[in-house]
Amino acid sequence: MKDALNAALTYLSRRILTRRELIQKLEKKGFPSQDIEAAIERLLEWGYLSDQEYARTYCLSKQMNYSRKRITYELKGRGIEEGVIEQALQETYLPGQEAELCRRHAQKLWTEESRRWETSYQHKKSYEKIPRGFMLRQRVGQKLIQKGYPQEMVFQIIEEIREE
């Protein structure tokens, strides 16, 4: 167990990990499962391993760039339970914050895509028949949906920006 614990501490000294990520790394190193479990228990006792803290920190670092849905998806992929994810999101996201972030991203993307239209798309033959407004709505909407914002929210915000 001592070797597994030392390896786990080495991994955790480099960056914060979820319980599942740490177990996978230790298994990949070839440690027996009973040594891994003993090391994990010791790290939990010491407070060096906490999925709750990982989820909260992750939410704080990603909330300005991604939606709640995208953060939830990524944390689930890292092995964090849904209840822990929901609690972390409630602690970090304010009510209505997601819509405001979506609006900010949409305005920024609209400006960027408008500039791109003026400098390059407008002069290409393949884009000649596509209306500027349609192209901007499509590109901005696609990028916002990739960030995980709900489709209805995205459409509504794009329409508000387009009307401005």
Side-chain angles (χ1 to χ4, degrees):
M1 183 200 88
K2 201 171 190 176
D3 291 337
L5 183 61
N6 287 335
L9 287 169
T10 301
Y11 287 129
L12 289 172
S13 71
R14 294 181 188 141
R15 76 175 186 91
I16 187 170
L17 296 169
T18 65
R19 182 182 180 138
R20 186 175 93 184
E21 288 173 332
L22 185 58
I23 289 171
Q24 287 173 341
K25 285 183 177 287
L26 294 174
E27 285 174 344
K28 193 174 180 180
K29 277 281 199 188
F31 291 108
S33 61
Q34 65 269 17
D35 288 353
I36 292 172
E37 281 304 314
I40 295 293
E41 289 303 316
R42 182 68 53 92
L43 292 170
L44 289 169
E45 286 174 21
W46 293 342
Y48 290 163
L49 186 63
S50 170
D51 282 354
Q52 292 88 359
E53 188 59 30
Y54 183 94
R56 197 176 75 66
T57 304
Y58 190 87
C59 288
L60 284 171
S61 69
K62 300 294 184 181
Q63 74 180 4
M64 297 310 275
N65 293 320
Y66 298 115
S67 69
R68 291 173 65 102
K69 182 179 174 184
R70 171 92 180 255
I71 291 171
T72 300
Y73 175 78
E74 290 186 8
L75 287 173
K76 279 182 183 177
R78 292 168 191 239
I80 297 181
E81 296 172 9
E82 198 163 326
V84 173
I85 295 170
E86 194 55 42
Q87 180 182 358
L89 287 169
Q90 287 177 357
E91 290 175 9
T92 56
Y93 267 91
L94 301 172
Q97 182 180 8
E98 188 170 38
E100 184 56 36
L101 290 172
C102 183
R103 184 171 282 103
R104 265 193 246 150
H105 285 296
Q107 288 170 335
K108 180 181 174 191
L109 290 168
W110 191 273
T111 304
E112 288 173 3
E113 290 299 325
S114 293
R115 253 188 249 126
R116 194 168 289 133
W117 173 268
E118 300 299 328
T119 58
S120 60
Y121 295 143
Q122 182 180 13
H123 307 293
K124 290 184 179 178
K125 286 229 186 242
S126 57
Y127 292 103
E128 194 170 76
K129 294 180 181 176
I130 301 174
R132 176 183 182 270
F134 176 79
M135 175 86 157
L136 291 175
R137 283 194 310 265
Q138 182 182 13
R139 289 188 130 351
V140 171
Q142 181 181 19
K143 289 179 181 182
L144 291 172
I145 289 171
Q146 284 175 345
K147 287 182 176 282
Y149 293 108
Q151 206 171 29
E152 299 81 32
M153 180 188 296
V154 169
F155 292 154
Q156 179 184 357
I157 289 173
I158 288 176
E159 283 307 309
E160 290 171 9
I161 290 173
R162 193 176 67 83
E163 291 171 3
E164 290 175 357

